[in-house]
Amino acid sequence: MEFRVTGQKIDPAQLILAIGDTRVGACVTFEGRVRRQNEGRSVLSLDYEAFKPLAEKEGQRILEEARQKFGVLDAVCVHRTGSLKLGDLAVWIAITAEHRGAAFDACRYVIDEAKARVPIWKKEHYGDGSTEWINCATRGPGVSGPGPAG
Amino acid sequence: MNKSVSVSYYAILREQRGLGTEEVPTMAVTASDLYEELRARHGFTLPASRVRVAVNDDFQPWGVAVEDGDRIAFLPPVAGG
């Protein structure tokens, strides 16, 4: 059970080798990637910034909650910081369980909670040269409702 | 009583302050007082209602007392994933 924040490229093929044992009947993984478009704007690149000690602590709490709620066997999440290009992996999650239902549910729980609670920030660079810290606008449609999906 | 705390800013607050971490002498009693003091000084656009505070690497309510030597971080709305 580990939540890690890293400035290094995420390598799922390497990470998956450490996941699971013969109790496992289901392994669900999730990849969050840098998309070329957000809210109708053309995205060129992203910067991620983290408050690392608290991000890893809060992330660990989320993984522990997932274990308690869904009875999963293991949960691992790795999140990038730094400058990312289109197509780069921003976040990777692996959940193992005896059965698929718990693994799918826990994976969804971990990514949703991580996006809402873990102190990591995303700055988008757009095709028109402008930039924006996502969810940090002080006016406009994003302010009262939930932030844009990522 | 005058005290000194280490203040860290992230994301949009870091850019609006122009630096990541600084020592701040303050007479603020609570974290909320400290944020309002710094918001007035540096023109932060985010109201406290949209910011969270961490003291010594853990989330705290805005009413938490500021103690000499604390490491205080102001956290804008998060956007990981």
Side-chain angles (χ1 to χ4, degrees):
Chain A
M1 200 94 60
E2 186 189 18
F3 191 106
R4 189 152 47 88
V5 173
T6 179
Q8 307 297 314
K9 189 173 156 62
I10 296 171
D11 182 355
Q14 188 63 37
L15 289 166
I16 201 75
L17 296 175
I19 307 283
D21 55 48
T22 53
R23 293 173 301 168
V24 170
C27 176
V28 169
T29 62
F30 171 82
E31 294 185 359
R33 298 185 184 182
V34 178
R35 187 179 57 226
R36 70 179 177 195
Q37 186 267 356
N38 193 25
E39 304 274 296
R41 302 178 76 179
S42 146
V43 175
L44 298 183
S45 64
L46 288 186
D47 297 331
Y48 280 101
E49 176 173 330
F51 176 18
K52 187 170 173 168
L54 185 50
E56 292 187 334
K57 200 185 289 187
E58 186 71 359
Q60 197 68 36
R61 290 183 191 121
I62 292 168
L63 300 183
E64 186 56 37
E65 290 163 13
R67 197 176 65 78
Q68 302 259 342
K69 280 176 187 290
F70 304 103
V72 297
L73 295 167
D74 198 6
V76 172
C77 180
V78 184
H79 201 299
R80 275 298 308 274
T81 55
S83 185
L84 275 70
K85 304 186 304 298
L86 298 183
D88 280 353
L89 207 46
V91 57
W92 185 83
I93 296 169
I95 308 282
T96 58
E98 290 181 8
H99 301 285
R100 67 189 182 284
F104 277 115
D105 291 349
C107 191
R108 179 65 187 249
Y109 180 82
V110 169
I111 186 62
D112 287 353
E113 293 297 308
K115 289 173 75 79
R117 290 164 51 187
V118 173
I120 294 177
W121 299 272
K122 171 163 50 186
K123 184 184 194 179
E124 290 185 338
H125 295 258
Y126 302 107
D128 63 5
S130 63
T131 63
E132 193 170 309
W133 287 102
I134 299 304
N135 297 346
C136 288
T138 48
R139 58 188 67 198
V143 172
S144 53
Chain B
M1 188 192 74
N2 223 329
K3 48 206 162 190
S4 181
V5 294
S6 166
V7 179
S8 294
Y9 308 94
Y10 289 89
I12 195 169
L13 291 175
R14 178 179 53 71
E15 290 189 348
Q16 290 177 349
R17 176 62 190 93
L19 52 77
T21 302
E22 63 179 343
E23 285 295 317
V24 177
T26 183
M27 290 171 54
V29 175
T30 65
S32 175
D33 298 337
L34 179 63
Y35 184 74
E36 292 307 331
E37 180 182 319
L38 294 167
R39 187 180 180 212
R41 191 179 304 164
H42 303 299
F44 297 145
T45 51
L46 289 169
S49 61
R50 301 194 55 228
V51 175
R52 293 188 77 182
V53 63
V55 180
N56 301 327
D57 296 344
D58 230 329
F59 293 117
Q60 293 293 341
W62 276 113
V64 68
V66 170
E67 310 281 357
D68 188 52
D70 275 349
R71 287 175 293 109
I72 295 174
F74 293 119
L75 315 174
V78 304

